Amino acid sequence: MTESGTMVRGNSAWPGVMEHYRPFLPVEPGEPVVTLREGNTPLLEAPRLGAVLGGIRLYFKLEGCNPTGSFKDRGMTLAMSKAVLRGARAVVCASTGNTSAAAAAYAARAGLPCYVVVPGGQVARGKLAQALMHGALLVQVDGNFDQGLAAVRALAGEHREVELVNSVNPYRLEGQKTAAFEVVDQLGEAPDLLAIPVGNAGNITAYWRGFCEYQRAGLASGRPRLLGVQAAGAAPLVEGRPVARPETVATAIRIGNPASGPLALQAVAESGGMLTAVSDEEILDASRLLAQTEGIFAEPASAASLAGLRRHAGAGLLAEGMTVVCVLTGHGLKDPETALPQGPQPIRAASPDAASLAGALGL
Ligand code: F0G
């Protein structure tokens, strides 16, 4: 009910992250806002997995519930709005998939052309479908994400009319920090620990900034320790050196030389947390566990955060009664090809009648 006592119908009250968190963002009243009403994603308690992990209070932040199915929308609303404000003629990004999907959707909303550069053969099908469906011009390069990012940075440097919307664009991280605000608003306090997958290292940096700003504003009494999780075949921050040929089933975080690496290392250190690496097998195990014990379908890169927690359960990082938030960055529908072999395989019924069905199901 509103103050005047009328019923609010639907979710029309949520305006998107720029309007909702405007006092914390570099946005003046009256500036253009390109939004798909991103943010306000569920923070879901997971008591069964919390018990398995030693009696922690475990929550999942479901960023796959954003309009394009990943957390990228939080930063893209701001980056696209600023691109419009400065009169950019087009936007460009390099991407392992999700950034390209978000850029393409928000560019469509803004009426701007969108150019995306992706590593050939390594992007999950759902993400490709999104970028193309939203009308982006997609360039596949014979190289990895790191090389693609270097190329688009140089391109945007030479063609000033084209706005770069990767997370090296400062507005991206400003928008993404709103996820930390939401976690605190939803829990009523900062969690003790936040587990999060790390690729180009922008998101973990943005969360830390958000937690610090909320604490400074007196809206949280503490800040969480950060557990940043990389895939073992693409773990430059854990290994302390760039990885020339990153490899992992979690293609979203198949990154060997993260642009925000130094900021992420600083954030983890300030938080008293740690970085860890998990194998592809641990990632796929965690994604099955999420899907089959909690009903949550997350893409492999997202499941890395749960895999990291499982690896450290009982190793001193987790203690009974602790509040832990695990960030699930993207929706499982993004990557059906990786998911399909993971669950039970389809069975055939001899004919479409009850007896055949009962036979096939073993009833
Ligand atoms: N999870 C998902 C689902 C992602 O798509 C990404 C990054 C990350 C985690 C890691 O976040 O880079 O801020 O450390 N995807 C980028 C992209 C690189 O192009 O979509 P990060």
Side-chain angles (χ1 to χ4, degrees):
M1 301 285 261
T2 63
E3 275 169 66
S4 59
T6 52
M7 197 72 152
V8 176
R9 290 175 197 275
N11 66 354
S12 57
W14 178 262
V17 299
M18 283 179 67
E19 289 292 348
H20 190 81
Y21 290 110
R22 186 183 287 275
F24 292 92
L25 297 173
V27 186
E28 301 301 324
E31 278 186 26
V33 174
V34 181
T35 181
L36 292 165
R37 297 207 175 176
E38 57 296 309
N40 198 23
T41 58
L43 185 72
L44 192 68
E45 189 161 11
R48 293 170 69 193
L49 278 179
V52 173
L53 291 172
I56 59 173
R57 283 176 60 213
L58 178 63
Y59 296 83
F60 290 108
K61 182 69 172 154
L62 303 187
E63 289 292 277
C65 294
N66 276 299
T68 78
S70 87
F71 69 96
K72 304 287 182 181
D73 298 347
R74 294 180 182 278
M76 207 53 79
T77 180
L78 216 66
M80 202 63 66
S81 301
K82 292 292 185 181
V84 169
L85 182 68
R86 85 155 177 93
R89 305 289 298 276
V91 298
V92 68
C93 66
S95 181
T96 56
N98 281 321
T99 297
S100 69
Y106 282 78
R109 188 87 175 163
L112 288 176
C114 178
Y115 313 133
V116 304
V117 174
V118 298
Q122 287 290 344
V123 174
R125 302 285 283 175
K127 302 173 189 178
L128 273 185
Q130 287 179 286
L132 295 171
M133 187 68 190
H134 289 301
L137 289 183
L138 188 129
V139 186
Q140 291 183 321
V141 291
D142 199 9
N144 59 33
F145 168 83
D146 305 289
Q147 295 163 317
L149 181 59
V152 294
R153 286 177 92 157
L155 179 97
E158 286 163 24
H159 297 267
R160 305 300 302 175
E161 73 281 13
V162 181
E163 184 77 19
L164 181 66
V165 294
N166 276 106
S167 60
V168 291
N169 175 324
Y171 295 117
R172 281 278 312 280
L173 298 195
E174 283 296 301
Q176 284 173 213
K177 76 186 180 189
T178 61
F181 299 161
E182 276 178 28
V183 166
V184 175
D185 290 343
Q186 288 168 318
L187 277 178
E189 59 187 314
D192 298 309
L193 183 77
L194 184 100
I196 182 170
V198 175
N200 211 25
N203 208 28
I204 190 170
T205 303
Y207 268 84
W208 185 241
R209 191 181 294 171
F211 286 123
C212 293
E213 287 184 12
Y214 244 32
Q215 189 188 35
R216 272 202 299 278
L219 294 168
S221 56
R223 303 178 298 196
R225 294 166 78 188
L226 299 176
L227 175 65
V229 187
Q230 299 201 291
L237 298 182
V238 175
E239 291 173 17
R241 58 185 164 81
V243 173
R245 267 180 283 283
E247 220 24 275
T248 169
V249 69
T251 51
I253 52 172
R254 188 171 169 272
I255 292 173
N257 193 11
S260 297
L263 292 173
L265 289 171
Q266 193 187 335
V268 170
E270 274 176 35
S271 81
M274 64 183 289
L275 286 151
T276 192
V278 291
S279 69
D280 280 2
E281 200 185 335
E282 289 174 287
I283 289 173
L284 293 176
D285 276 355
S287 64
R288 266 195 311 272
L289 195 65
L290 267 173
Q292 297 181 6
T293 62
E294 297 291 357
I296 302 169
F297 191 14
E299 68 168 285
S302 303
S305 56
L306 175 60
L309 277 182
R310 291 179 84 201
R311 174 168 271 235
H312 290 279
L317 191 70
L318 302 181
E320 196 178 339
M322 262 175 67
T323 303
V324 178
V325 169
C326 197
V327 182
L328 300 179
T329 44
H331 202 287
L333 288 171
K334 295 264 191 181
D335 191 354
E337 277 161 327
T338 303
L340 274 168
Q342 299 298 319
Q345 295 307 296
I347 42 182
R348 282 193 72 83
S351 65
D353 57 58
S356 300
L357 288 184
L361 294 169
L363 294 172

